[in-house]
Amino acid sequence: MSLHDYLYFVILPILAISSLAVFVRFVKGPTIVDRIVAFDLIVTLGIAEIAIYSIIYDKPTFLDIATILALIAFLGTVAFAYYLEKRNKKDD
Amino acid sequence: MTDILIFILATLGALFAMLAAIGILRMPDTLLRISVTTKAATLGIGLILGAAALYFGDLAVSSRVQAIIIFIVLTAPVGAHLIGRTSYFTGNELWKKSVIDDLKGKYDIKKHELQSEDAQKLHRKEKQKKEDDDRKNAKEENTW
């Protein structure tokens, strides 16, 4: 089994099933905070998938997209946390 | 040799990512979910990106990978803390088997500030002091 086959037939399915499990939590999540955490984890798993794809297709350019995705995930989490806390302040 | 290292790094990374996914699915309350995902996902992503850096073996790629890993390691705890704080304020309940809630009553709900003493007790104490002062002033006025 070559490296490419191993990555394609073992690692990528594991990551895909993980994403699916996180997506279940995203749909089910009882509170909005659970959904935000699940979304963050989905994006993080996306970074891992992009890294594996860049190995399989031998294109290091894909890693730039991984950088941007990491930036956007952090920004999204911070923005959601900030505005949720503000919304609650107003209610009091 | 490099191939074997990539095998090991990618497998470990995928395993940690899978542990994070199982954790977020199975943990009983929000704060536990945050704790599981932050740690496991950071390690998993770091290992998989390390495998990519080993595969390309190029300074440009490995410095890019290093930048991503440092960024994730720096931002994951910050994001987790922010979202955990928000979760505490929005009033999520802890798991019923949780033993202790160290922050109970110590957050001023209106000002969103943390105090080392119980916030409600502090308010009560201030009120008591004010009343005592008022009474003292009234007494002094009476004696005059």
Side-chain angles (χ1 to χ4, degrees):
Chain A
M1 201 186 224
S2 72
L3 182 64
H4 284 104
D5 283 346
Y6 180 71
L7 290 178
Y8 206 89
F9 290 112
V10 179
I11 301 290
L12 272 184
I14 289 177
L15 289 174
I17 291 168
S18 311
S19 309
L20 212 66
V22 179
F23 189 72
V24 170
R25 175 53 72 192
F26 181 78
V27 172
K28 223 168 76 174
T31 63
I32 190 160
V33 177
D34 285 312
R35 284 171 218 265
I36 296 167
V37 174
F39 175 73
D40 197 34
L41 191 55
I42 287 178
V43 176
T44 315
L45 286 173
I47 297 171
E49 277 158 32
I50 289 172
I52 297 292
Y53 262 113
S54 79
I55 295 177
I56 291 172
Y57 291 110
D58 207 5
K59 282 203 171 69
T61 330
F62 286 171
L63 288 171
D64 290 345
I65 303 164
T67 320
I68 293 165
L69 221 56
L71 278 165
I72 288 175
F74 176 61
L75 215 71
T77 313
V78 171
F80 266 121
Y82 183 74
Y83 284 111
L84 274 178
E85 213 181 303
K86 269 209 156 169
R87 187 179 74 175
N88 268 46
K89 239 182 193 171
K90 221 175 182 179
D91 284 346
D92 285 336
Chain B
M1 184 58 205
T2 327
D3 272 11
I4 296 169
L5 266 178
I6 293 171
F7 263 99
I8 295 168
L9 282 182
T11 312
L12 278 177
L15 275 179
F16 274 108
M18 197 179 69
L19 281 180
I22 294 172
I24 201 174
L25 202 59
R26 296 278 302 155
M27 277 294 180
D29 88 41
T30 310
L31 295 173
L32 286 173
R33 273 174 218 143
I34 294 171
S35 133
V36 161
T37 56
T38 310
K39 280 174 281 198
T42 310
L43 189 53
I45 299 307
L47 288 172
I48 288 180
L49 285 170
L54 260 182
Y55 177 79
F56 291 112
D58 184 12
L59 186 65
V61 177
S62 48
S63 56
R64 215 172 293 164
V65 164
Q66 215 172 19
I68 302 175
I69 291 176
I70 288 176
F71 184 78
I72 287 177
V73 167
L74 280 180
T75 58
V78 177
H81 170 252
L82 276 172
I83 207 77
R85 192 180 133 95
T86 306
S87 142
Y88 198 83
F89 278 130
T90 47
N92 284 341
E93 284 184 5
L94 299 183
W95 188 31
K96 61 179 188 296
K97 284 184 190 167
S98 298
V99 181
I100 189 165
D101 181 3
D102 271 332
L103 293 177
K104 198 171 189 183
K106 287 182 183 169
Y107 259 123
D108 195 332
I109 303 279
K110 285 211 174 114
K111 281 188 256 173
H112 281 209
E113 279 169 359
L114 185 64
Q115 278 148 349
S116 54
E117 219 175 322
D118 199 314
Q120 283 181 335
K121 257 188 213 164
L122 215 69
H123 279 306
R124 227 175 291 144
K125 230 184 243 171
E126 274 175 12
K127 225 178 179 181
Q128 189 91 38
K129 210 179 169 192
K130 221 178 182 183
E131 278 174 9
D132 285 352
D133 283 355
D134 284 351
R135 216 172 293 150
K136 219 183 259 171
N137 286 341
K139 231 182 218 174
E140 277 175 9
E141 273 170 22
N142 280 342
T143 50
W144 276 102

